[in-house]
Amino acid sequence: MEDLLLKNRIDFMYFFDVKDGNPNGDPDAGNLPRVDAETGMGLVTDVCLKRKVRNYVQVAKECAEGFDIFVKEKAVLNNLIDASYDIPTVKEKKDEGDKREAARSVMCQKYYDVRTFGAVMSTGKNAGQVRGPIQFTFARSIDPITSTEHSITRMAVATDAESKKQSGDNRTMGRKSTIPYGLYVCHGFISANLAKQTGFDADDLSIFWEALKNMFDNDRSAARGLMSAQKLIVFRHDSELGNAPANKLFDLVKVEKNPETVARSFADYKIIIDRNSLPTGITIEEIL
C-alpha cells in the first residue's frame, strides 16, 4: 500500500553489550572472540547480527506468508530459487529476462530477509540479485576487550573405549573463551530507494526494530553469556536521498566511560547526543 512505502532515508546506531561471553567467535583463531589485532577492540560481524535478526523473525512470524526466511539452517537455496519458477506469474513469461525479474519479485515478496538484506539468487534457475535496503557495519567495542580462556572438564564420554581411559583425574579437558565485559556499537543504513525496489515497507521496518530490541533474548546460549540490547538511536531524514552524511550524524553521539572504574556494566558508560548540532531536515528517535 502507498502509505506503507518508506520515503525517508534512515541511519542508526545500535549499542549492545556482552558479559562473560563470546559474542562472535573467530573460526580462524580457535573460536576466540573476534578482535582488531592493532587496537584490541572487539568485533562482531554484520553477518552475525543479520543471522540473529533472521532467527528472531523466523520465530516471531512462524514463517507466515511474506515472512519466510530464505537463508536458514539446512535450507537448500537452489531448491527455493527453482520453486519460484513454478509460480504462475513467472511461468507465463516467455522471455528469460522477464522470467528472471518475475522470479526475483516473487522471492522478495515471499522472503523477509531477501527484501531486507538482499541476496544472490543466480545459483539455481537464476532469480537475479537483490541489493537489500538495510546494511550493517561490523560492530566494534567502545574499549579494548580482554579475552580469557577457561579450562572445562568433560564428565561424560561417548564410547566405552573413552570410559576406560577416563578415570579419576584423567578426564578430557576443554577450553572456553569469554570476555568479562564489552559494549559494542554497530552503524546501520536504510535506503528508501532500495526499499521501493524490494518491497520493504513500514511494517517490515517495525519488525526489524522489534528484532533489534529482542533478538538476544531469543538467541541465548552458554557460549554467548549475557548479551543485551542497550541503545538504538535512529536518525530519520526528511527526504529519500538524505539531508546529511551518515558519518556526520554518528559523530553527534559520544560515549563516555567512568575513568575511575573498569567497565563491567552498561551503567559504567554514558551516551551523549549533541542535539544542538543536528543538521536541518534530520530528526532523532531513541527507540531503545
Side-chain angles (χ1 to χ4, degrees), residues 234-248:
V234 176
F235 298 91
R236 193 179 301 270
H237 302 248
D238 69 4
S239 67
E240 183 175 300
L241 297 180
N243 301 79
N247 64 300
K248 298 298 183 183

Side-chain angles (χ1 to χ4, degrees), residues 198-215:
T198 69
F200 183 89
D201 61 21
D203 285 344
D204 292 326
L205 181 60
S206 294
I207 295 167
F208 176 70
W209 297 142
E210 181 184 314
L212 292 186
K213 289 190 289 184
N214 301 313
M215 64 188 188

Side-chain angles (χ1 to χ4, degrees), residues 27 29 37 59 86 95 191 193 222 239 263 267 269 288:
V59 171
D86 295 328
D95 181 75
S191 166
N193 179 51
S239 67
Y269 291 90
L288 185 64

Side-chain angles (χ1 to χ4, degrees), residues 9-20:
R9 197 185 98 194
I10 297 171
D11 302 306
F12 63 89
M13 297 177 70
Y14 179 55
F15 293 84
F16 62 90
D17 62 2
V18 57
K19 182 180 292 185
D20 296 325

Side-chain angles (χ1 to χ4, degrees), residues 7 24 28 32 44 53 72 74 83 126 134 158 175 199 206 216:
K7 301 175 183 178
N24 187 202
D28 291 328
L32 291 170
V44 174
V53 172
K72 59 187 174 185
K74 297 182 179 180
N126 194 354
I134 297 184
R175 308 288 289 177
S206 294
F216 294 122

